[in-house]
Amino acid sequence: MAGLKRTHLCGKLSLQNLDEEVVLMGWVHRRRDHGGLIFIDLRDRYGIVQIVFNPDLAGQAFSKAEEVRNEYVLAVKGKVTARPSGTINPNLTTGEIEIYATDLKILNKAKTPPFYISDDVEVDETIRLKYRYLDLRRTEMQKSLILRHKTTKAIRDFLDKHNFLEIETPMLTKSSPEGARDYLVPSRVNPGEFYALPQSPQLFKQILMVAGMDRYFQIARCFRDEDLRADRQPEFTQLDMEISFSDRETIITLVEEMMQYIFKETLNLDLSIPFPRLTYYEAMERFGSDKPDLRFKMELVDISDLVKSCNFKVFQSALATGGKVKGINAEGCGNYPRRQIDDLTKLAISCGSKGLAWIALTDEGLKSPIAKFLTEEELNNIIKKMGGKQGDLLLFVADSPSVVATVLGHLRLEFGKRLNLINPEEFNFSWIIDFPLLEWDPEEKRYVAIHHPFTAPLEADLDLLESEPDRVRAQAYDLVLNGVELGGGSIRIHNRSIQEKMFKLLGLTKEQSLEKFGYLLEAFEYGTPPHGGIAFGLDRMIMLMARKDTIRDVIAFPKTQSASDLMTQAPSPVEPKQLKELHIKLDIVTKKSSDVN
RNA sequence: GGCCCCGUAGCUUAGUGGUUUAAAGCGCCUGCCUGUCACGCAGGAGAUCGUCGGUUCAAAUCCGAUCGGGGUCGCCA
């Protein structure tokens, strides 16, 4: 390095280093040229320190400093000096000192960056992603990646203390039915055959339990070829765990202690445990979501019994077909203009509702298009049950229980944001338990697993498995943080015949289950311990901890919504030779040619 | 696949009921400046308004298509 060796870090210097001769290396954060005196803020990962170039003390270094520009990479030799009184900068951790440069080496020049390396400029994400190496120089981004590192370190430390083994599982594995679309990798040595990248290490970790590993974890990359969202990337990271001889309580308690440890180690926050638990049914009934944001109340109110004999046909027909009528009270929104209520109706319809009934308790009295169908008594009972008072807006949805829940759940969140009911500082954890095991898929005309096909039913519900599959509850649990599903897990089936029964319920033939999962079924016959586990979306967790709105901000090199990497330009076409080796012929239907057809 | 939003100097934005030279701040370049720290002062360069097509005497502005980015529904066991 031009004959110099770094002795100190820019951000770590203080009055304690007074009069020391130091060699620093870093990037030019800013340069202030006063003509006869030059200041350079030198930046490394640890912070910023001010270098002073004075022609009277070091003429050569000074003249070299004149040609320096932002983001040049420098090696600076100099002496740590206390700043003259009145020039202390309280905004810098190193603000009490400065370095009097005696020697300057330009290690590398830099083009003027396309955007400022600074946290207070909002730059278009396209440019940030294209020049990710510049974006990642910003302290805000470095803070996120440091938090990520600290979190995974805390996880490893905690789990190591609790006898977990970190074990890697294959990335090239077997495509399985159920679940998300697989990313496929062609096998050159087995023409026409494909590996799948793992959607999660689920089966491998269960096999590791069969193998007697007792406690396993992995910080595992997972792949799902589905559409992207702010909190969904095609490749993402799971904290995956599995424990033998465990029941639900063991796992829930361990996870609570782990979260407490992680938040203490990384954010120095004390989480109070145990976390509250809600059953799936309760969460849907009260909050209209299986991942309710419990940072605010605004619960759903069931008014079905209050309107069971009213004259409003929409309510009547919903009730007659086994549905419900429920509402929420948007407090203080009673004077919304009609247009705003229409917008809410649109939102409701986009969530699957047929419409939105409302009662506005305006300053000029009650306004409601449905009032004429209700008796005075019915109206009063509804308002009373919903805690309505002057200035409130009561919104109602009548439909099947699941539609009612979805629609009101969305409206509830909308008002939570709109009315600032959410404390952004809060970390609100909760467990959702007793999920249904199965769900009828009308499109595929079969049951699908709500969690996954390896989840064990609640023992109390085992008898229902064949008679009433949709009433069977699962030994599954989700951890929810601030309305985001952080992770989910279950106690697994560890018995071949129950697992086969499960596959059968999911519509797999015996041949299919053997072809896809035969190794698991066989393993189950060689002494499988009861076991269970959980997996967390690490990106989401760190996003919440860093108070970001997208996991892209806590992933070093994320992809765009169209699953491309703007820096490397992946994905991209490959050489015909590569395809030939893989025995792959392309069959691309372009939009234009399909229009012609 | 559906719906919605965005695209103007390097960056952030203004300008859009259709008219001549597209405006500003920051950045960049040059000069001056020995205590600044988002240094200051003076001057300068820099944009065929994402792309293609249409309407029009005239388009950054209106229309259509397309590309790119984002949000969301579907999808995500």
Side-chain angles (χ1 to χ4, degrees):
Chain A
M1 245 85 58
L4 293 173
K5 192 169 164 21
R6 175 157 80 161
T7 63
H8 291 73
L9 303 169
C10 297
K12 299 250 157 133
L13 291 169
S14 69
L15 281 174
Q16 306 214 319
N17 304 94
L18 208 56
D19 294 329
E20 284 180 38
E21 170 139 298
V22 297
V23 176
L24 303 174
M25 301 201 178
W27 286 260
V28 175
H29 190 64
R30 285 208 172 83
R31 188 183 74 116
R32 291 176 294 280
D33 185 345
H34 288 234
L37 195 63
I38 295 173
F39 300 97
I40 284 178
D41 292 341
L42 197 66
R43 184 191 70 231
D44 61 20
R45 202 184 91 201
Y46 310 91
I48 287 171
V49 69
Q50 173 165 280
I51 321 283
V52 186
F53 292 88
N54 188 324
D56 306 334
L57 301 173
Q60 230 177 8
F62 177 85
S63 53
K64 218 177 248 177
E66 288 187 302
E67 59 183 84
V68 160
R69 293 293 179 270
N70 279 352
E71 299 308 313
Y72 274 33
V73 186
L74 305 182
V76 175
K77 194 179 197 176
K79 194 169 162 190
V80 181
T81 316
R83 291 199 186 194
S85 63
T87 67
I88 285 170
N89 184 350
N91 300 321
L92 280 185
T93 49
T94 61
E96 290 184 303
I97 53 123
E98 58 194 1
I99 313 298
Y100 274 67
T102 52
D103 199 3
L104 167 65
K105 293 269 178 352
I106 296 174
L107 299 178
N108 221 334
K109 295 187 173 192
K111 285 167 74 172
T112 302
F115 54 88
Y116 226 144
I117 312 299
S118 157
D119 287 335
D120 37 66
V121 188
E122 274 300 309
V123 183
D124 188 82
E125 204 176 355
T126 314
I127 301 165
R128 290 176 52 203
L129 290 177
K130 181 174 175 192
Y131 299 96
R132 193 58 158 178
Y133 41 88
L134 298 179
D135 190 36
L136 292 177
R137 284 184 193 169
R138 299 159 61 206
T139 41
E140 188 67 16
M141 293 303 291
Q142 301 209 339
K143 257 167 58 188
S144 291
L145 294 184
I146 290 166
L147 174 65
R148 195 173 173 124
H149 163 79
K150 280 187 178 167
T151 303
T152 51
K153 172 154 193 319
I155 287 168
R156 288 194 165 100
D157 290 347
F158 178 89
L159 292 176
D160 177 66
K161 255 181 261 165
H162 286 79
N163 277 340
F164 282 77
L165 296 179
E166 183 172 13
I167 302 174
E168 290 169 279
T169 54
M171 301 292 273
L172 296 176
T173 177
K174 192 178 169 75
S175 176
S176 70
E178 303 285 308
R181 198 175 291 116
D182 281 321
Y183 272 100
L184 296 178
V185 179
S187 165
R188 178 182 53 80
V189 286
N190 300 282
E193 300 189 352
F194 295 83
Y195 302 97
L197 301 180
Q199 295 181 26
S200 85
Q202 182 62 32
L203 294 179
F204 286 106
K205 70 173 171 177
Q206 289 191 241
I207 300 274
L208 287 170
M209 295 302 100
V210 181
M213 292 302 150
D214 197 57
R215 294 180 159 212
Y216 142 95
F217 84 99
Q218 185 179 188
I219 293 173
R221 198 68 62 86
C222 302
F223 304 84
R224 295 180 187 175
D225 187 4
E226 299 291 350
D227 285 353
L228 290 85
R229 289 284 189 284
D231 63 352
R232 271 164 37 188
Q233 285 270 308
E235 58 178 305
F236 62 101
T237 305
Q238 275 189 352
L239 165 57
D240 193 44
M241 303 163 56
E242 198 75 8
I243 311 179
S244 291
F245 310 110
S246 61
D247 56 11
R248 189 175 75 188
E249 289 309 313
T250 317
I251 290 165
I252 284 183
T253 306
L254 183 100
V255 166
E256 286 170 343
E257 286 169 8
M258 179 178 73
M259 287 298 162
Q260 199 174 45
Y261 183 79
I262 294 170
F263 274 68
K264 186 66 187 173
E265 291 295 305
T266 57
L267 302 175
N268 196 24
L269 283 177
D270 295 298
L271 295 183
S272 119
I273 56 170
F275 302 142
R277 297 183 198 182
L278 289 174
T279 64
Y280 171 84
Y281 180 78
E282 206 181 347
M284 295 302 283
E285 282 298 306
R286 290 172 57 194
F287 304 100
S289 168
D290 63 356
K291 44 180 198 301
D293 191 334
L294 300 181
R295 286 175 298 177
F296 66 106
K297 290 270 181 254
M298 205 169 161
E299 296 194 19
L300 281 50
V301 181
D302 194 335
I303 59 159
S304 301
D305 53 333
L306 301 181
V307 297
K308 60 174 183 265
S309 47
C310 81
N311 285 321
F312 188 37
K313 271 196 189 135
V314 173
F315 286 2
Q316 281 310 324
S317 65
L319 292 172
T321 52
K324 282 184 176 168
V325 183
K326 295 176 78 169
I328 50 168
N329 180 357
E331 289 181 36
C333 302
N335 293 308
Y336 263 23
R338 187 58 192 260
R339 245 203 64 167
Q340 234 166 326
I341 296 182
D342 289 346
D343 285 347
L344 290 172
T345 306
K346 272 185 213 156
L347 176 66
I349 288 171
S350 78
C351 298
S353 185
K354 295 186 200 73
L356 187 64
W358 50 274
I359 298 174
L361 304 171
T362 74
D363 297 341
E364 295 92 45
L366 185 149
K367 282 186 197 165
S368 169
I370 63 166
K372 57 177 176 279
F373 302 111
L374 301 169
T375 66
E376 187 87 20
E377 194 195 352
E378 284 167 338
L379 267 176
N380 285 337
N381 284 339
I382 292 169
I383 293 167
K384 192 177 162 205
K385 186 159 186 191
M386 298 190 58
K389 54 190 187 312
Q390 189 181 321
D392 289 354
L393 176 65
L394 311 180
L395 300 163
F396 306 93
V397 174
D399 212 307
S400 68
S402 73
V403 171
V404 169
T406 309
V407 176
L408 288 178
H410 273 92
L411 287 172
R412 175 178 176 270
L413 279 181
E414 174 63 23
F415 280 107
K417 281 178 216 150
R418 246 188 230 199
L419 303 176
N420 272 326
L421 303 177
I422 296 168
N423 171 10
E425 296 295 308
E426 191 179 340
F427 288 104
N428 189 311
F429 285 89
S430 60
W431 290 101
I432 310 298
I433 58 171
D434 292 352
F435 278 80
L437 184 69
L438 301 161
E439 187 181 38
W440 181 255
D441 184 332
E443 258 181 40
E444 298 204 33
K445 298 206 173 65
R446 64 177 184 95
Y447 285 104
V448 293
I450 287 194
H451 189 55
H452 57 52
F454 317 103
T455 299
L458 275 187
E459 272 177 48
D461 293 352
L462 259 176
D463 295 341
L464 299 168
L465 209 50
E466 270 163 272
S467 53
E468 296 176 86
D470 38 4
R471 282 193 53 207
V472 177
R473 287 164 298 168
Q475 296 195 49
Y477 31 81
D478 276 4
L479 184 63
V480 174
L481 171 55
N482 295 353
V484 174
E485 184 196 325
L486 257 202
S490 61
I491 301 303
R492 326 297 184 188
I493 297 167
H494 60 276
N495 166 295
R496 174 158 187 161
S497 68
I498 298 180
Q499 187 65 68
E500 283 180 325
K501 215 177 272 181
M502 188 67 188
F503 287 148
K504 201 176 150 196
L505 272 172
L506 296 172
L508 287 177
T509 64
K510 195 150 199 172
E511 291 69 37
Q512 284 171 320
S513 41
L514 281 178
E515 200 268 310
K516 297 296 180 185
F517 304 112
Y519 61 99
L520 180 75
L521 294 171
E522 193 177 7
F524 278 177
E525 296 188 297
Y526 285 95
T528 300
H531 60 284
I534 191 163
F536 298 94
L538 189 74
D539 312 281
R540 283 185 191 176
M541 183 167 140
I542 293 167
M543 170 187 86
L544 293 170
M545 291 165 76
R547 303 185 196 290
K548 301 289 183 192
D549 295 320
T550 161
I551 59 172
R552 293 190 299 276
D553 280 346
V554 297
I555 295 173
F557 301 103
K559 294 186 175 52
T560 67
Q561 198 162 73
S562 49
S564 51
D565 178 334
L566 295 180
M567 187 180 75
T568 65
Q569 297 284 307
S572 58
V574 295
E575 293 301 317
K577 183 175 168 244
Q578 291 176 281
L579 291 177
K580 204 169 174 206
E581 278 177 343
L582 297 167
H583 310 279
I584 289 178
K585 280 199 180 115
L586 300 181
D587 176 23
I588 297 164
V589 183
T590 63
K591 223 175 194 176
K592 265 185 185 157
S593 61
S594 70
D595 284 349
V596 172
N597 291 338

